[in-house]
Amino acid sequence: MPEKVTIATVARHARVSRQTVSNVLNAPHIVRQETRQRVEDAINALGYRANQAARQMRTGRSRLIAARIEPTRDGINGSVLDRFLHGLTETADAAGYRVLLYTAPDDDREIATYGDLLGTYELDAFVLVGTKYGDPRTEWLADRDVPFVTFGRPWDALDAHPWVDVDGAAGTAQATRRLLDAGHRRIAFIGWPAGSGVGDDRRAGWHDTLLAADVDPTGLHRETEDGIAEGERLMRDLLVAAAPTAVVCASDSLALGALQAVRGTEPPVSVIGFDDTPVAAAVGLTSVSQPLGEAAARCVDLLTGVLDGNHESPPPVLLQPSLALRHTA
């Protein structure tokens, strides 16, 4: 009968202490990368499987975190969340956690789901995606001392809870500067209705960059709900009312609509989107790219710190986007 593989077996194989093996299993972020890799190689070579029930009794944790899948819209911007969740799952796995995915059509239903999940699965924590002013989800979790982090900042109070975000204003500022450097002055913006923290942030980057270049943005801004048809409609309106030579959009969906509206115009109108979706790459759309893998990894870092009893509030993480240049700008 083959010998039972235990933590001690793994420790001997990896030439480390049993405590180090335990740390790799339960708190991998505190172990040096080289040592962690050696232990993980030994675990794989020996076929070791930790007893999850015993680990949960010992640590008081289920090693399970939950994240929401957003309802599908136009199939374009949903890919942004897909990439984030893929990165979250990979990073959580490396830290010894599993990700439970759930869906909900709105905030009320999502909050109701929290109670169901906490009662059924004994979750350790949540990763919330997308935040807004007066977000009832974060309030519900905080009132019940449920650990969580958000991908998206708390727009009402930046020190309200741990968060990771991408600087949307910096992204649209990069896009606008790119167009200014190319000689454009009539640079329009198509965004979302005022009151969206993310949308307002992205609009501010365009607006403030034009002002800094002594360019008047008056009449060059339009607002709408997200979508290709909406982007096309507002771009056609801008072409008639404001005659822009370029446009920055708050999403790739809006930018794809704008592209349809400017097809065949002379001189050509430059278009820049936001999120660098696979569709943007396929059609050659210049777009602001978010570091989604890094954002997911930083969310896990913050969350493991909270769960490990770090009583100091971790500093927020604001990541910088980049511009994926293609032939539309």
Side-chain angles (χ1 to χ4, degrees):
M1 184 175 180
E3 178 186 0
K4 181 180 179 181
V5 179
T6 65
I7 282 183
T9 313
V10 174
R12 287 195 301 272
H13 190 92
R15 303 185 306 281
V16 298
S17 68
R18 284 181 292 179
Q19 182 59 53
T20 298
V21 176
S22 179
N23 287 341
V24 171
L25 293 170
N26 297 304
H29 61 286
I30 69 172
V31 183
R32 287 190 307 129
Q33 173 63 34
E34 179 183 350
T35 303
R36 186 168 72 236
Q37 187 61 57
R38 196 161 73 244
V39 172
E40 290 173 349
D41 289 345
I43 288 171
N44 292 331
L46 296 168
Y48 175 73
R49 294 293 181 269
N51 185 315
Q52 184 65 25
R55 183 193 292 177
Q56 184 170 344
M57 290 178 65
R58 184 173 65 254
T59 64
R61 296 191 204 165
S62 65
R63 314 295 295 187
L64 190 64
I65 59 179
R68 175 186 176 185
I69 299 176
E70 292 286 337
T72 57
R73 290 176 293 175
D74 56 19
I76 297 173
N77 290 321
S79 66
V80 178
L81 180 61
D82 289 346
R83 284 182 286 162
F84 174 79
L85 290 176
H86 186 85
L88 182 72
T89 302
E90 284 189 339
T91 310
D93 181 70
Y97 287 85
R98 295 292 181 267
V99 178
L100 174 68
L101 300 178
Y102 64 93
T103 189
D106 54 42
D107 289 344
D108 289 341
R109 185 56 198 154
E110 182 169 2
I111 289 170
T113 302
Y114 294 162
D116 294 340
L117 293 175
L118 289 167
T120 303
Y121 295 100
E122 298 182 359
L123 295 168
D124 283 342
F126 287 83
V127 176
L128 274 57
V129 179
T131 50
K132 64 194 76 174
Y133 290 104
D135 200 321
R137 304 169 304 154
T138 57
E139 182 179 356
W140 191 95
L141 292 170
D143 286 348
R144 291 158 180 79
D145 294 322
V146 178
F148 70 95
V149 300
T150 62
F151 177 37
R153 72 198 81 171
W155 298 98
D156 300 291
L158 295 181
D159 59 351
H161 57 71
W163 57 270
V164 177
D165 203 359
V166 177
D167 192 339
T172 50
Q174 284 184 52
T176 306
R177 283 194 296 271
R178 165 76 180 182
L179 296 169
L180 287 167
D181 291 344
H184 293 281
R185 289 299 178 268
R186 301 288 297 169
I187 303 171
F189 183 83
I190 300 177
W192 303 318
S196 156
V198 175
D200 293 351
D201 192 45
R202 294 180 184 183
R203 182 176 65 252
W206 160 81
H207 180 271
D208 294 349
T209 303
L210 286 186
L211 290 181
D214 292 325
V215 176
D216 185 2
T218 302
L220 290 168
H221 167 235
R222 296 292 187 274
E223 297 178 352
T224 182
E225 298 299 327
D226 202 51
I228 296 174
E230 290 79 359
E232 181 176 4
R233 175 176 57 83
L234 289 193
M235 190 67 220
R236 292 191 186 282
D237 174 65
L238 280 164
L239 290 172
V240 173
T245 63
V247 62
V248 176
C249 298
S251 73
D252 281 350
S253 292
L254 292 172
L256 288 166
L259 269 181
Q260 293 180 0
V262 304
R263 185 178 295 143
T265 57
E266 290 296 339
V269 175
S270 296
V271 179
I272 298 181
F274 201 111
D275 283 330
D276 193 25
T277 57
V279 174
V283 303
L285 172 67
T286 293
S287 184
V288 178
S289 179
Q290 302 192 65
L292 297 171
E294 184 180 359
R298 300 300 291 272
C299 281
V300 173
D301 287 344
L302 288 183
L303 202 54
T304 53
V306 171
L307 293 173
D308 287 342
N310 183 355
H311 297 295
E312 293 186 8
S313 180
V317 178
L318 187 61
L319 302 173
Q320 294 302 305
S322 59
L323 197 58
L325 295 173
R326 301 189 181 94
H327 72 257
T328 64

